[in-house]
Amino acid sequence: MACRLSLTEEDFCCPICYDIFRDPVLLACSHSICNICVKTFWNRRGTQDCPICRTVSSNPNPPINIVLRNMCDLMREETTQEPPVETVEVCSLHGEPLTFFCTEDQELVCGKCRNAKSHKNHRIRSTEDASQELKQELQLKLKAFLEKLRVYEQIKQSWDETEEYIKKQSQNTETQIKEAFDKLHQFLETEEAARTTALKKEEEQKSEIIKKKTEEIRSGMLSLSQIIESIEDQLRRNDFTFLVNYKATTERTKCTLRNQTRPSGMLINVAKHVGNVTFEVSKKLQANIRYTPVTFDPNTAHPYLLVSDDLTSITYSDEHFPQLPANPERFDGYTSILGSEGFNSGTHCWDIEVGDSTAWAVGVITESAYKHRQTPSKTGLWYVGFCNGKYGKGCSPQILTLLRVTQRIQRIRVQLDWDKGKVTFTDSGRDIGLHMFKHRFTERVFPYFYSHCMQQPMRIIPIKTTVEVHM
């Protein structure tokens, strides 16, 4: 008994709930916490660390500290037998108990203050009723902040996944760059180093942006956690203390946190580093190369479309595809993909090998129609396609009309004359014209490709050219 008297009341209080221990458990670090408190703490943080020293516990169900529990039960019994007398604060002006609360002024008042002119026409409630009502309001705010915190955690996880994907993209892109430069032997080392440096710089810049965004999220999470802890602390207090601090507490809840949005263009611009790499380098070497007039942009590819390393062919697969981060550029409806480069002037031409694919479409799409593809505009997509054994042409959102085709198309050519407003489609295998659309272009357009359930890859056909290009 003498030993117990040498201890202070703090020795029997949980460091989380600040109340006498209930079923205290003994952690690996020798600290004791209420069983329900430590489980709640672990669920919120997602890790089994000690709330005091942050030592990680390997046991999800730590043992009960029996000696401490028995002592706390005894102390609780003694406390119950002699309940403390609750002190009632009195009004500094009238000396009467503060038994009412003015909801307009958010302050405690006595019976005489209640009838004073300063509180005329104010809504006066008993402290018990006011406390219950205001606690319910604060509970709703607490729920909103907890939900906001959950959203921030999800956004942070998304940014973390995007950063990891960027690193993988960077690694794969660097490998492709090196393979291309290896084919050009030692005299291409300077160009290879320059492109690798550009890739690394882009990776660092975009990783830096993500780190900044992540830091903003951490800051927001910290602010939310502080507000939540403050609210939770006030909710545990008695009515009087709660009402005294209520005004200051609600002022903290009025803070505004900026919504987190995902900007476009956060993935590595693979096409910039890999697309037509041999052509661009060969211009410097004055040599003949094979040139692909259009390359695919993998950042826009639907998850079911797998893009080749050289960005010139796509394969459809709805069974095995990599886990991709959400990015605004990617198609998520039709299994479509864009060309890596858009055009706002001049004439351009590219051939596509469609082979024996069961469903495909090729054409051009305006930049605005692509950005608002979830809510299609009146026009913006011109294409020729094949589906259910029939060929057709279309201009969004018009209904597809049939084309008279006597033999199966293996290769199709798309010719864009932006200045004259023409998009021409040709069966390039037999040099037979299919259709020509006319439209006055006023914005940039991109090559557009759709492929579904194809038996072989859709491929952009390279052309033989020289380093010198006459415009």
Side-chain angles (χ1 to χ4, degrees):
M1 190 68 175
C3 179
R4 186 177 69 83
L5 293 175
S6 66
L7 299 176
T8 65
E9 185 177 346
E10 293 181 355
D11 296 320
F12 299 94
C13 291
C14 172
I16 294 183
C17 66
Y18 302 107
D19 198 359
I20 298 176
F21 284 109
R22 293 184 181 275
D23 295 327
V25 295
L26 184 63
L27 302 182
C29 57
S30 299
H31 288 120
S32 293
I33 313 289
C34 290
N35 187 29
I36 188 171
C37 290
V38 75
K39 294 296 178 60
T40 303
F41 180 80
W42 285 354
N43 290 336
R44 180 179 298 173
R45 289 180 58 85
T47 58
Q48 297 180 179
D49 53 350
C50 173
I52 301 174
C53 65
R54 295 295 188 266
T55 300
V56 177
S57 175
S58 59
N59 186 1
N61 297 299
I64 298 293
N65 190 334
I66 299 177
V67 174
L68 180 59
R69 183 188 63 181
N70 294 338
M71 294 178 67
C72 289
D73 290 344
L74 179 61
M75 185 175 183
R76 191 177 292 105
E77 290 176 2
E78 293 177 354
T79 303
T80 303
Q81 293 173 359
E82 299 179 2
V85 178
E86 184 177 356
T87 59
V88 178
E89 296 291 337
V90 297
C91 176
S92 60
L93 293 177
H94 306 105
E96 293 191 0
L98 297 171
T99 55
F100 298 96
F101 184 77
C102 176
T103 57
E104 276 77 4
D105 295 332
Q106 295 187 358
E107 63 181 12
L108 290 161
V109 296
C110 69
K112 291 183 178 180
C113 291
R114 178 183 183 183
N115 300 320
K117 291 183 179 180
S118 59
H119 294 285
K120 185 178 181 181
N121 297 326
H122 286 189
R123 187 166 178 255
I124 307 296
R125 306 287 303 280
S126 69
T127 54
E128 181 179 358
D129 292 343
S131 177
Q132 292 299 322
E133 180 180 339
L134 295 178
K135 279 186 177 181
Q136 290 178 1
E137 293 180 2
L138 208 54
Q139 284 282 5
L140 293 176
K141 292 184 178 181
L142 174 62
K143 182 179 180 181
F145 279 113
L146 289 171
E147 177 63 21
K148 189 71 173 179
L149 180 60
R150 184 186 66 81
V151 173
Y152 267 68
E153 290 172 346
Q154 291 177 345
I155 295 175
K156 179 181 178 298
Q157 181 180 359
S158 177
W159 278 117
D160 291 341
E161 293 173 353
T162 301
E163 184 176 19
E164 287 299 318
Y165 184 75
I166 285 179
K167 290 180 180 179
K168 293 180 181 179
Q169 273 194 311
S170 178
Q171 293 171 358
N172 293 336
T173 304
E174 184 176 356
T175 299
Q176 296 171 39
I177 291 173
K178 289 189 175 184
E179 288 177 353
F181 280 96
D182 286 342
K183 295 178 182 179
L184 299 175
H185 305 296
Q186 297 300 319
F187 60 88
L188 297 177
E189 289 181 355
T190 302
E191 182 69 13
E192 178 184 7
R195 286 180 174 264
T196 303
T197 300
L199 170 65
K200 287 299 182 182
K201 183 178 180 180
E202 181 179 0
E203 179 191 1
E204 292 173 359
Q205 291 174 343
K206 292 183 176 179
S207 294
E208 188 63 28
I209 293 174
I210 290 181
K211 290 178 181 178
K212 182 179 179 181
K213 290 289 186 181
T214 303
E215 187 59 33
E216 291 177 358
I217 293 174
R218 288 198 184 100
S219 177
M221 292 171 64
L222 178 60
S223 297
L224 284 170
S225 297
Q226 292 173 347
I227 294 173
I228 291 170
E229 290 177 1
S230 175
I231 294 174
E232 290 176 337
D233 178 65
Q234 291 303 317
L235 292 174
R236 288 193 295 268
R237 297 186 181 266
N238 60 48
D239 292 347
F240 177 81
T241 305
F242 168 79
L243 294 173
V244 168
N245 298 331
Y246 178 76
K247 186 173 183 179
T249 303
T250 54
E251 286 297 322
R252 295 198 66 184
T253 64
K254 294 178 182 179
C255 69
T256 58
L257 299 174
R258 184 171 58 183
N259 291 329
Q260 296 293 324
T261 59
R262 178 180 289 275
S264 299
M266 280 306 303
L267 301 185
I268 294 295
N269 191 343
V270 180
K272 173 184 175 182
H273 300 287
V274 180
N276 293 323
V277 60
T278 54
F279 175 76
E280 295 297 330
V281 175
S282 295
K283 286 194 299 185
K284 301 179 181 180
L285 303 176
Q286 295 295 308
N288 294 334
I289 63 169
R290 290 171 65 84
Y291 168 64
T292 307
V294 169
T295 56
F296 295 114
D297 183 356
N299 291 346
T300 66
H302 186 279
Y304 288 178
L305 296 180
L306 307 179
V307 186
S308 63
D309 290 342
D310 62 359
L311 311 181
T312 62
S313 67
I314 53 175
T315 305
Y316 176 91
S317 174
D318 59 359
E319 297 180 355
H320 305 288
F321 54 93
Q323 187 66 34
L324 302 173
N327 62 294
E329 297 90 349
R330 191 176 307 285
F331 281 96
D332 56 6
Y334 291 104
T335 49
S336 304
I337 186 173
L338 294 188
S340 61
E341 183 180 359
F343 310 111
N344 57 9
S345 64
T347 59
H348 310 274
C349 176
W350 56 93
D351 284 28
I352 306 97
E353 184 176 76
V354 295
D356 296 325
S357 299
T358 56
W360 55 265
V362 296
V364 296
I365 187 173
T366 61
E367 187 170 22
S368 61
Y370 161 62
K371 289 183 177 180
H372 300 87
R373 55 192 178 276
Q374 302 299 341
T375 54
S377 57
K378 293 182 179 180
T379 185
L381 173 62
W382 300 266
Y383 62 96
V384 165
F386 176 75
C387 184
N388 296 326
K390 298 179 181 180
Y391 292 91
K393 57 182 175 65
C395 176
S396 67
Q398 297 177 2
I399 299 175
L400 184 71
T401 56
L402 296 179
L403 285 173
R404 293 183 178 180
V405 177
T406 58
Q407 298 184 35
R408 192 175 187 87
I409 298 176
Q410 297 291 320
R411 295 184 177 186
I412 186 168
R413 176 174 300 157
V414 181
Q415 293 174 287
L416 169 66
D417 190 331
W418 194 95
D419 300 318
K420 294 183 179 180
K422 296 180 181 179
V423 183
T424 306
F425 296 89
T426 306
D427 180 350
S428 57
R430 288 181 288 272
D431 197 22
I432 299 175
L434 298 174
H435 188 72
M436 181 178 69
F437 291 102
K438 291 184 178 181
H439 178 79
R440 184 176 177 272
F441 297 112
T442 58
E443 60 179 306
R444 186 163 56 161
V445 297
F446 289 85
Y448 172 82
F449 309 88
Y450 163 79
S451 185
H452 184 72
C453 297
M454 54 187 180
Q455 299 176 358
Q456 65 185 59
M458 176 182 285
R459 186 171 66 95
I460 301 173
I461 302 173
I463 60 177
K464 189 75 171 181
T465 185
T466 60
V467 175
E468 184 178 3
V469 179
H470 296 280
M471 302 300 292

